[in-house]
Amino acid sequence: MTERDPKAEIPETPRRAPADPVAAVVPVPAEADQLPEPPDVNFAEYYHEARPRTLRHRARVRSTVRRRSVSQDGPATGENPVYVSWLLARSMLGHADELARQFSGQGSMWQNPFANPGPRHAVETASVWFTAYPISLITREGTSFLGALGDTDLWQAFETIGIEALHTGPVKRAGGLSGWQPTPSVDGHFDRISNEIDPVFGTEDEFRAMCATATWHGGTIIDDVVPGHTGKGPDFRLAELAYGDYPGIYHMVEIEPADWGTLPEVPAGHDSVNLDAATEEALEKAGYIVGRLQRVIFFREGVKETNWSVTRQVTGVDGVDRRWVYLHYFKDGQPSVNWLDPTFAGMRMVIGDALHSLADLGSGALRLDANGFLGVEKSVGGSPGWSEGHPLSEAANHLIASMVRKVGGFTFQELNLTVDDIKVTSEAGADLSYDFINRPAYHHALATSDTEFLRLTLRTALDLGVDPASLVHALQNHDELTYELVHWTAGHTSELFSFRGEEITGGDLADTIRRDLCEKLTGPDAPYNLIFTTNGIACTTATVIAAALGIEALDDIGPADVERIRRVHLLLVMFNAFQPGVFALSGWDLLGMLTLPPEQVSDLLSSGDTRWVSRPAHDLMGHRPDAEVSSSGMPRGRSLYGALPEQLADETSFARQMQAILKVRKHSGVATARQVDVPDVAHRGLLVMVHALDDGRVQATVLNFADEHVDAAVQSDHFTPGSPVVDLFSGESLGTVDDLHGFRVDMTPFRATAVVLESPAEHEPG
């Protein structure tokens, strides 16, 4: 037996609890331990009564698909059958076809409802998520990433805090192949080339063990599927070789030799080169490709000027030399999947990947990454190709999400599209969507001490029918603070909006918000946050707060500053957690991580991807306090709050205060409530969100984004005069709703609170 690490002992409950729900831990009313009345039984529960989670039915593969071992011998060309066999043995499509046969003809495939998204069912399954980033997690010596995430002490800490699900991030093999040799990932493992777990992160057995540990602690594992693209792995190389169905996986077009003169030469040491705009137009006019699309993501002059690249000359399995032009919405190492090829090879490959994760490895949910780009169509009249909000994307998302629901899981999507498009995709696609609507807006509210734009985004979602309960409201993840504001820059550019006392177009509104964010959160006064192309700002939540508080140098942060940052951090927790939907946070949030100095990741920044400064390595459990890098080589960043065991031993810590917030959230039922109002406020720094709870009561979340004291008048037509107003945290009465449908609450700087309005009849004298 090994000696137990004393730091890993997790206290179950705090010793005492001070008062302010955002400044310190809040005592939860005694009735919080009472279970609420069960809701009406839904379709799934009617046919499949509640039973222990470990015994709930889920379709499982009867046996794992064995991957053939083929030796490497001879040249890596299409004319070498050994090389082709080696690629086939490693291909995702080949693995998917073998795996799919185990599900055909099985009654287990018809035991779950699947046609309609079930956002509230997904939220009930897991309403608080931890999002991991594999290459940034510091683990015990000799312990893999997956081994660390399956650690019992970590899950005990998660259960104590109130975290109910863990999103692993991409952990399957990624990158590409150059001949026989693997090449590294070009996009943080989002360029998948295999269904196998990448050994750098662990093993399939460790993944299954992690799922078992999560289940034991009442949790769920969320994995990834990438339906929009792969890396340049075996499947892409087989496509280049014109083998079987493989060219049908990708949006790639064979260029006739007579037209090769229009194609650029591929530089030595490369296997493809990006097309410039002139060549893109020429190939479009020649009838080869769709041509110019609505935008060029990650545009960089001389590197990526269009969404199309051309391969070098490749000799196929039939001895024919070919050059292909292929679509890639992102980097050239991420060829796009074709969802409407007659072979349906791309669809088969993606569905196989999803089934492997859910039914073989044991995850309970999947993130659909970049799934808004699954359809592309040629336009007329010189307009850009139709590539966003395309009906094919909606159909493909419906297929993936339905298959996942058929085997007992749920999905969420990261769609940074217009609110209209998110509404459409939510009607038949993924169960949940990432909240790109309000995420930049709450950062803007903090940066400017003004919630006007945040109120606008919340109201826009409500007006267009996007249910907040269908959204994943998040703090930091592995990406930048997005400020593309697609709803205003793409779908409603010319529409007029009322903002700061005047009518302004959507395009001008987006420009104003971006300018405010850049001026407040980056530049000479906050050099630790970096702009990331046209997409957003590379930062952590802690450094957003530091910039908003006027801290110019991270090295100057002292104990008093840590306390201020923590207070504001908890305000943002309250905003995201005390509204319907999922609340998500990362290790960077749990530990209060700061961005890395650019010189520490200069090699990674050389490609122009500034996001690496916001992905510092961190040690959740404090296993290796002396480690300077993660096992993947990411430099360790500075933590303001300390490791989880340390925090859970201190009732005033960030983790303990968040634990109290999440406990009250769970008891109140706000996660599955309906948002009914975002009323006007008397002070620009205030925000009020009004919700109808399942038990018929009205709940209000009140937040002060200003660094000043506010005597807040809170009003809404949904408040009934005479209703007693009760603080959800302390259980104390704050008075009654007056005849103007309002009440008052004292709001100190950066304070947040939550109240519930009781029925007047219940409090009338007997």
Side-chain angles (χ1 to χ4, degrees):
M1 294 179 62
T2 58
E3 185 175 345
R4 190 177 179 85
D5 183 359
K7 290 192 298 182
E9 299 292 340
I10 308 299
E12 291 294 333
T13 55
R15 296 186 293 278
R16 58 185 177 81
D20 189 338
V22 170
V25 178
V26 183
V28 180
E31 63 267 27
D33 294 327
Q34 300 175 7
L35 294 175
E37 290 296 317
D40 292 338
V41 176
N42 61 31
F43 176 91
E45 291 167 341
Y46 181 82
Y47 286 101
H48 307 284
E49 305 93 318
R51 51 204 149 178
R53 184 171 304 205
T54 53
L55 300 180
R56 288 181 183 173
H57 173 81
R58 180 180 296 150
R60 296 284 178 183
V61 297
R62 296 185 296 279
S63 62
T64 58
V65 177
R66 294 187 177 183
R67 297 178 175 88
R68 293 169 291 162
S69 177
V70 180
S71 62
Q72 301 180 21
D73 184 30
T77 66
E79 297 169 299
N80 180 4
V82 175
Y83 179 61
V84 174
S85 296
W86 183 81
L87 293 174
L88 288 169
R90 285 156 178 77
S91 78
M92 290 187 288
L93 178 59
H95 184 247
D97 286 343
E98 292 185 58
L99 187 65
R101 296 187 189 101
Q102 297 200 38
F103 290 88
S104 299
Q106 299 299 308
S108 59
M109 290 298 293
W110 300 100
Q111 304 307 308
N112 295 304
F114 64 86
N116 299 314
R120 281 176 170 76
H121 179 69
V123 172
E124 288 168 357
T125 301
S127 69
V128 181
W129 299 356
F130 174 83
T131 58
Y133 191 61
I135 65 177
S136 292
L137 185 66
I138 295 175
T139 65
R140 292 182 193 267
E141 191 73 42
T143 301
S144 70
F145 169 75
L146 293 175
L149 292 186
D151 180 69
T152 301
D153 291 332
L154 175 64
W155 274 97
Q156 179 62 61
F158 283 171
E159 188 174 9
T160 299
I161 293 169
I163 295 170
E164 301 168 332
L166 185 153
H167 177 211
T168 61
V171 294
K172 293 183 178 179
R173 288 185 185 271
L177 284 176
S178 178
W180 300 99
Q181 300 304 313
T183 58
S185 170
V186 298
D187 189 25
H189 269 69
F190 286 99
D191 45 347
R192 180 169 296 175
I193 62 171
S194 172
N195 292 341
E196 294 183 87
I197 299 295
D198 192 321
V200 73
F201 300 131
T203 66
E204 289 193 353
D205 286 342
E206 286 178 318
F207 195 107
R208 296 185 183 98
M210 173 183 63
C211 293
T213 302
T215 299
W216 180 259
H217 289 274
T220 299
I221 295 299
I222 303 171
D223 195 9
D224 286 85
V225 65
V226 187
H229 53 251
T230 70
K232 289 183 176 179
D235 296 87
F236 185 75
R237 297 308 178 198
L238 286 164
E240 284 185 314
L241 299 177
Y243 182 88
D245 291 348
Y246 285 83
I249 294 176
Y250 299 101
H251 191 124
M252 60 193 302
V253 179
E254 180 182 348
I255 307 299
E256 293 296 328
D259 293 320
W260 286 5
T262 64
L263 303 176
E265 292 296 323
V266 177
H270 295 260
D271 61 6
S272 64
V273 64
N274 192 245
L275 301 183
D276 60 24
T279 306
E280 176 188 57
E281 183 179 5
L283 291 175
E284 177 193 358
K285 291 180 177 178
Y288 283 113
I289 63 175
V290 171
R292 182 166 59 100
L293 302 185
Q294 290 169 266
R295 56 176 168 157
V296 180
I297 301 173
F298 300 160
F299 175 88
R300 190 179 176 198
E301 189 173 356
V303 177
K304 188 189 178 188
E305 299 183 1
T306 71
N307 294 299
W308 304 90
S309 287
V310 60
T311 69
R312 69 202 187 292
Q313 182 175 323
V314 182
T315 303
V317 293
D318 54 3
V320 176
D321 291 339
R322 294 178 176 87
R323 294 192 73 183
W324 306 85
V325 169
Y326 67 93
L327 174 68
H328 54 93
Y329 284 104
F330 299 97
K331 300 177 182 180
D332 67 348
Q334 295 168 289
S336 293
V337 173
N338 182 356
W339 275 83
L340 199 57
D341 183 81
T343 66
F344 293 99
M347 181 191 300
R348 287 152 48 202
M349 179 188 70
V350 172
I351 294 298
D353 189 12
L355 289 175
H356 174 250
S357 179
L358 292 160
D360 190 352
L361 296 181
S363 61
L366 294 174
R367 176 180 65 170
L368 309 182
D369 180 70
N371 64 315
F373 309 104
L374 306 186
V376 58
E377 183 174 335
K378 187 176 178 63
S379 297
V380 296
S383 299
W386 187 6
S387 57
E388 298 184 18
H390 194 282
L392 179 56
S393 284
E394 299 160 17
N397 281 299
H398 191 190
L399 283 168
I400 301 168
S402 293
M403 181 61 73
V404 171
R405 286 189 285 267
K406 282 193 77 172
V407 295
F410 66 86
T411 55
F412 83 99
Q413 61 189 2
E414 288 197 63
L415 272 184
N416 191 11
L417 299 177
T418 67
V419 181
D420 318 71
D421 288 335
I422 292 174
K423 165 63 177 173
V424 171
T425 58
S426 70
E427 292 174 349
D431 300 281
L432 302 166
S433 295
Y434 202 81
D435 188 358
F436 282 117
I437 307 166
N438 301 303
R439 190 163 179 250
Y442 79 73
H443 286 107
H444 185 264
L446 178 63
T448 62
S449 299
D450 189 340
T451 64
E452 183 177 6
F453 183 61
L454 178 54
R455 282 178 273 128
L456 174 61
T457 61
L458 287 163
R459 290 168 178 170
T460 299
L462 283 178
D463 291 344
L464 294 177
V466 174
D467 183 357
S470 69
L471 299 177
V472 178
H473 312 287
L475 292 172
Q476 184 192 356
N477 65 8
H478 67 280
D479 273 328
E480 73 284 353
L481 186 172
T482 303
Y483 60 27
E484 290 176 294
L485 303 171
V486 176
H487 183 78
W488 288 271
T489 60
H492 300 266
T493 306
S494 301
E495 185 176 331
L496 292 177
F497 296 88
S498 178
F499 187 69
R500 293 177 179 170
E502 62 180 8
E503 295 294 302
I504 184 173
T505 66
D508 289 341
L509 173 61
D511 288 341
T512 299
I513 300 304
R514 282 194 292 262
R515 184 167 55 250
D516 287 346
L517 288 170
C518 290
E519 288 177 354
K520 298 288 185 179
L521 303 181
T522 68
D525 294 335
Y528 40 81
N529 296 327
L530 302 179
I531 293 174
F532 172 61
T533 65
T534 58
N535 291 54
I537 299 171
C539 54
T540 66
T541 303
T543 62
V544 167
I545 297 168
L549 294 176
I551 297 172
E552 297 182 3
L554 298 182
D555 289 342
D556 294 341
I557 294 177
D561 297 310
V562 173
E563 173 58 33
R564 295 173 70 209
I565 290 171
R566 182 172 59 190
R567 183 180 184 88
V568 178
H569 209 155
L570 289 164
L571 170 78
L572 302 185
V573 169
M574 281 288 291
F575 167 73
N576 286 288
F578 260 82
Q579 60 178 308
V582 167
F583 167 54
L585 75 163
S586 63
W588 298 302
D589 287 301
L590 277 176
L591 305 191
M593 300 300 299
L594 302 179
T595 50
L596 292 167
E599 58 270 18
Q600 285 193 267
V601 285
S602 56
D603 289 347
L604 295 170
L605 298 183
S606 61
S607 67
D609 192 342
T610 57
R611 293 175 297 177
W612 293 107
V613 301
S614 57
R615 298 165 176 170
H618 50 280
D619 186 354
L620 281 174
M621 298 301 290
H623 290 315
R624 295 176 61 200
D626 298 328
E628 296 183 356
V629 297
S630 69
S631 59
S632 297
M634 280 300 296
R636 187 188 195 118
R638 178 184 173 188
S639 166
L640 299 183
Y641 307 151
L644 290 184
E646 177 186 343
Q647 289 194 58
L648 292 175
D650 174 10
E651 67 271 21
T652 66
S653 69
F654 176 80
R656 278 299 189 188
Q657 293 179 66
M658 187 171 66
Q659 174 197 8
I661 291 171
L662 297 180
K663 188 173 184 180
V664 176
R665 174 185 189 260
K666 189 176 185 69
H667 170 63
S668 71
V670 71
T672 54
R674 290 183 300 107
Q675 191 166 96
V676 294
D677 194 16
V678 181
D680 291 332
V681 291
H683 187 281
R684 70 190 188 103
L686 289 179
L687 176 72
V688 178
M689 297 181 290
V690 181
H691 308 116
L693 301 176
D694 291 340
D695 61 11
R697 296 183 299 169
V698 174
Q699 184 272 329
T701 304
V702 186
L703 307 104
N704 180 11
F705 281 84
D707 192 8
E708 59 182 275
H709 190 282
V710 179
D711 179 17
V714 181
Q715 291 182 297
S716 171
D717 291 340
H718 292 269
F719 299 161
T720 302
S723 297
V725 181
V726 178
D727 189 308
L728 276 171
F729 287 87
S730 67
E732 297 176 355
S733 174
L734 300 180
T736 58
V737 176
D738 59 31
D739 291 340
L740 296 177
H741 301 269
F743 61 90
R744 305 192 78 85
V745 60
D746 187 58
M747 299 295 291
T748 54
F750 301 121
R751 186 192 175 201
T753 192
V755 301
V756 66
L757 278 60
E758 303 289 355
S759 170
E762 295 178 5
H763 292 266
E764 291 178 354

